[in-house]
């Protein structure tokens, strides 16, 4: 790390910073400029909070050189992480971008869910998504059918072979959700529920971690780090929009730049969710295409058999016909991306 001293910092001020760093095992290189001194400290800062130096007299700034996330970082692992499922589906690296589709909430009408799953399978999707435990902003809204919904998802898997992605909101529900899910989803609201992340880190099932609505990219990767440092390296990130300045025309602001940024700083796969990212059905197709071109390893899209009467998120869900039309266009693009990746053609 680099410690920048104030121009008026005394030799005593510099000495006390150097002393504390040396006591913590850092190697020090001093750089005395005409105006100010810069201290380079080389060592392991995991057991030391660099910001504590900001309270020392004469210290202007402390800058980290290394990213604070270690296991999620490309610095430690340069090749892309690829997550492989028992049926051969792979997420990440140069593999074909995956599609996870399904209703926001699993509802009583299992035939509707099955109809969505069959369409998803026919269009080449690999995953069925659907909420059994629903985090709702209002306590009066539909909160999910819980185990019944998980059973419905399992029936849809049985019928189609699609893998099941579903949210787990509470660490106490992990054993139950584990019985049915192929991927645990952590929702945006729980991105910093550290006890949940830690408990999921102790499982060996892939975790789809959604970005918190107000989380920085660094906080997002540190949330992944919580899962990884507890023993589970199988994290799939999901950009699902952040709070922007406008919520009149869209629900959130899709941070599409986060996709190539995360690819630069992390080896973890990242998918995009244009349904939650925008909140508007008509924005799903353009944002899906934009995300794939930006390098997303997959998409999560809400699809409902009757969106106008959905228990949650109908306005950002495609109906089955709309999904089929959208999937045709997305598949065309995925085909081109796959061809380019295989032939090493950079766009
Ligand atoms: C969801 O996937 O239905 C969901 C609630 O997403 P998010 O956590 O991104 O809001
Ligand atoms: Mn939803």
């Amino acid at each position: 790390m680099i410690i920048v001293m104030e121009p008026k910092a005394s030799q005593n001020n510099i000495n006390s910073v150097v002393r504390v760093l040396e006591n913590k095992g850092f190697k020090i290189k001093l750089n005395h400029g005409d105006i100010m001194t810069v201290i380079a400290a080389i060592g392991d800062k995991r057991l030391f909070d660099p910001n504590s130096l900001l309270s020392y007299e004469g210290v202007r700034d402390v800058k980290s050189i290394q990213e604070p996330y270690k296991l999620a970082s490309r610095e430690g692992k340069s090749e892309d992480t690829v997550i492989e499922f028992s049926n051969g589906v792979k997420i990440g690296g140069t593999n074909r971008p995956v599609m996870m589709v399904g209703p926001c909430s699993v509802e009583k009408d299992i035939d509707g869910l099955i109809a969505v799953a069959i369409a998803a399978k026919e269009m080449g999707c690999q995953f069925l998504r659907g909420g059994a435990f629903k985090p709702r902003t209002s306590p009066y809204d539909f909160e999910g059918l819980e185990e019944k919904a998980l059973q419905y998802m399992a029936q849809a898997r049985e019928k189609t072979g699609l893998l099941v992605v579903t949210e787990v909101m509470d660490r106490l529900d992990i054993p139950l959700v584990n019985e049915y899910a192929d991927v645990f989803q952590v929702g945006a609201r729980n991105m910093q529920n550290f006890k949940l992340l830690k408990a999921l880190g102790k499982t060996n099932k892939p975790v789809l971690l959604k970005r918190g609505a107000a989380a920085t990219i660094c906080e997002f990767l540190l949330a992944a780090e919580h899962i990884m440092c507890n023993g589970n390296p199988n994290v799939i990130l999901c950009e699902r929009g952040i709070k922007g300045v406008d919520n009149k025309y869209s629900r959130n602001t899709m941070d599409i730049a986060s996709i190539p940024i995360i690819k630069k700083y992390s080896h973890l796969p990242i998918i995009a969710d244009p349904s939650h990212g925008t909140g508007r059905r008509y924005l799903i197709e353009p944002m899906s295409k934009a995300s794939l071109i930006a390098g997303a390893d997959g998409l999560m899209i809400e699809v409902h058999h009757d969106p106008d009467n959905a228990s949650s998120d109908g306005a950002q869900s495609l109906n089955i016909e709309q999904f089929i039309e959208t999937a045709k266009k997305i598949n065309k693009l995925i085909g081109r991306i796959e061809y380019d990746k295989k032939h090493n053609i950079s766009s």
Side-chain angles (χ1 to χ4, degrees):
M1 80 187 113
I2 301 287
I3 299 97
V4 182
M5 302 301 292
E6 295 283 6
K8 61 173 177 33
S10 66
Q11 192 56 48
N12 270 348
N13 295 156
I14 296 168
N15 290 346
S16 29
V17 173
V18 168
R19 209 172 310 120
V20 71
L21 287 167
E22 281 179 341
N23 284 341
K24 296 280 178 196
F26 285 88
K27 288 204 166 63
I28 301 298
K29 283 199 173 124
L30 285 177
N31 190 341
H32 297 290
D34 286 346
I35 300 174
M36 60 219 309
T37 295
V38 170
I39 304 169
I42 299 151
D44 185 352
K45 63 178 175 47
R46 263 172 294 187
L47 301 174
F48 173 70
D49 175 11
N51 286 332
S52 64
L53 293 173
L54 288 169
S55 64
Y56 280 64
E57 215 174 313
V59 173
R60 170 172 284 192
D61 206 358
V62 180
K63 294 185 199 300
S64 287
I65 311 281
Q66 276 185 316
E67 301 303 335
Y69 41 88
K70 310 266 175 242
L71 299 171
S73 163
R74 276 226 194 258
E75 283 165 6
K77 177 177 186 274
S78 59
E79 71 281 10
D80 289 333
T81 284
V82 174
I83 295 174
E84 187 165 358
F85 293 83
S86 54
N87 64 357
V89 168
K90 293 179 186 161
I91 305 184
T94 54
N95 291 291
R96 182 184 175 85
V98 296
M99 295 247 271
M100 304 181 175
V101 306
C104 179
S105 305
V106 177
E107 299 165 11
K108 284 200 199 89
D109 181 357
I110 182 160
D111 294 339
L113 178 71
I114 301 279
V116 168
I118 289 172
K121 182 69 185 178
E122 278 171 3
M123 296 315 294
C125 301
Q126 299 84 355
F127 296 84
L128 178 68
R129 61 139 290 143
F133 293 92
K134 293 303 302 175
R136 304 310 301 272
T137 304
S138 163
Y140 307 114
D141 287 341
F142 179 63
E143 291 182 317
L145 297 179
E146 305 191 349
E147 188 165 10
K148 184 101 250 146
L150 296 171
Q151 288 164 352
Y152 284 1
M153 290 290 276
Q155 284 182 43
R157 172 175 49 207
E158 191 78 2
K159 207 160 179 77
T160 59
L162 292 174
L163 296 159
V164 165
V165 185
T166 194
E167 179 160 356
V168 58
M169 281 172 58
D170 188 314
R171 74 197 152 99
L172 299 177
D173 295 327
I174 291 176
L176 175 67
V177 177
N178 189 38
E179 282 179 39
Y180 298 92
D182 297 293
V183 179
F184 289 118
Q185 176 171 321
V186 175
R189 292 157 188 81
N190 262 328
M191 189 206 81
Q192 286 187 318
N193 178 339
F194 299 116
K195 287 214 163 148
L196 176 65
L197 302 179
K198 185 173 178 171
L200 290 170
K202 298 204 157 90
T203 73
N204 56 10
K205 197 163 267 186
V207 178
L208 177 78
L209 177 66
K210 293 188 123 192
R211 180 175 180 183
T216 65
I217 289 172
C218 189
E219 287 164 344
F220 189 17
L221 290 172
L222 281 169
E225 191 81 9
H226 275 272
I227 299 169
M228 298 174 84
C229 76
N230 280 288
N232 186 352
N234 300 314
V235 179
I236 305 151
L237 302 167
C238 179
E239 165 60 42
R240 48 75 73 204
I242 50 176
K243 295 265 178 232
V245 290
D246 197 343
N247 59 10
K248 179 174 168 194
Y249 300 103
S250 67
R251 179 178 176 185
N252 287 302
T253 298
M254 269 200 88
D255 184 6
I256 290 185
S258 74
I259 297 165
I261 293 172
I262 284 174
K263 291 240 157 252
K264 177 172 159 72
Y265 288 95
S266 176
H267 51 82
L268 293 174
I270 175 162
I271 69 162
D273 171 355
S275 288
H276 294 88
T278 66
R280 303 285 184 276
R281 190 175 299 156
Y282 80 98
L283 292 172
I284 291 176
E285 187 185 315
M287 290 299 99
S288 294
K289 290 175 172 168
S291 303
L292 289 170
I293 289 171
D297 296 297
L299 298 170
M300 172 174 268
I301 297 176
E302 288 187 331
V303 179
H304 191 280
H305 64 286
D306 180 13
D308 295 343
N309 291 301
S311 302
S312 58
D313 288 351
Q316 62 187 42
S317 303
L318 300 174
N319 68 28
I320 293 177
E321 292 73 41
Q322 290 161 342
F323 160 67
I324 290 171
E325 283 319 302
T326 306
K328 282 183 191 159
K329 294 178 192 154
I330 292 173
N331 279 337
K332 230 175 169 175
L333 180 60
I334 287 179
R336 284 216 310 272
I337 290 173
E338 211 181 8
Y339 180 89
D340 287 359
K341 275 185 182 170
K342 272 206 188 103
H343 295 82
N344 226 348
I345 302 168
S346 54
S347 37

